[in-house]
Amino acid sequence: MTHDATLAAARAGDIALLVLDVDGVLTDGGLYVDGRGEIAKRFHAQDGLGIKAAQIAGIAVAVISGLDSPAVAARIKELGIAEYHPGHYRKVPILRAIWERTGITPGQTAYLGDDWVDAGPMGLVGLPMAVADAQPEISDLALWVTTRDGGQGAVREAIRFILNASGRLAAAYDWFLRER
């Protein structure tokens, strides 16, 4: 697929669900393993606030990850993401179950990925997106690609793109201004 920001912006107006991968998207893909075999991960704070902005704007967020990590589970819970599905390298069945459960359609779904496990879902959604440092095959599937690498604010950039293109950015920002 050719990257097409104009078509991606047009499709952004219909987005009701954003699906994210974890390693290489929400994180930089690094696995920090201590002497006991415990894994720690680094998340970008702006991505978290972007997820909150998406939720405020009425976009549901789901996370489907190939790995199952207590560190990720804690972060997902903190962000209030109910649709968290760890331990799934085959992501299409999980995505189809989310659609069936929520009534959201493939055309109303955006997916942000970086690696081969994301190829299946990206081929089904209305707005397939990739992080800047995605594998070439994944970048080729994307209609829109971030300028930032995974774990470096790419999720926030993708959310900002969707909110801006769909006319929902100002309302999400205004929600945060109400605290004054």
Side-chain angles (χ1 to χ4, degrees):
M1 178 178 294
T2 304
H3 304 159
D4 186 337
T6 302
L7 180 56
R11 291 185 181 180
D14 294 330
I15 298 304
L17 172 65
L18 171 62
V19 182
L20 303 169
D21 177 42
V22 175
D23 295 304
V25 174
L26 276 168
T27 75
D28 62 8
L31 299 175
Y32 307 96
V33 183
D34 69 16
R36 295 181 314 252
E38 298 292 322
I39 295 175
K41 299 184 186 239
R42 179 189 167 278
F43 297 91
H44 199 289
Q46 287 187 3
D47 288 344
L49 193 62
I51 288 168
K52 288 297 184 190
Q55 292 165 333
I56 288 162
I59 297 172
V61 179
V63 173
I64 307 172
S65 178
L67 299 178
D68 189 355
S69 161
V72 174
R75 180 65 173 151
I76 297 306
K77 182 178 180 183
E78 179 183 28
L79 292 171
I81 298 171
E83 290 285 355
Y84 173 50
H85 305 275
H88 295 281
Y89 288 102
R90 302 260 184 219
K91 298 181 178 189
V92 169
I94 302 302
L95 185 54
R96 288 188 193 280
I98 292 170
W99 287 332
E100 186 175 315
R101 206 171 31 260
T102 64
I104 295 171
T105 67
Q108 295 173 300
T109 305
Y111 189 100
L112 183 60
D114 75 306
D115 213 334
W116 294 352
V117 297
D118 303 311
M122 288 179 67
L124 298 176
V125 302
L127 182 51
M129 302 182 295
V131 296
D133 59 339
Q135 289 297 306
E137 299 87 352
I138 299 308
S139 183
D140 288 348
L141 291 173
L143 195 56
W144 187 83
V145 178
T146 67
T147 61
R148 293 181 178 207
D149 289 346
Q152 303 297 321
V155 171
R156 177 66 171 270
E157 182 183 352
I159 290 168
R160 187 178 182 89
F161 172 79
I162 292 168
L163 294 179
N164 189 49
S166 65
R168 296 180 267 186
L169 183 64
Y173 178 66
D174 286 347
W175 185 91
F176 289 97
L177 291 178
R178 287 188 219 146
E179 295 293 317
R180 290 184 178 185

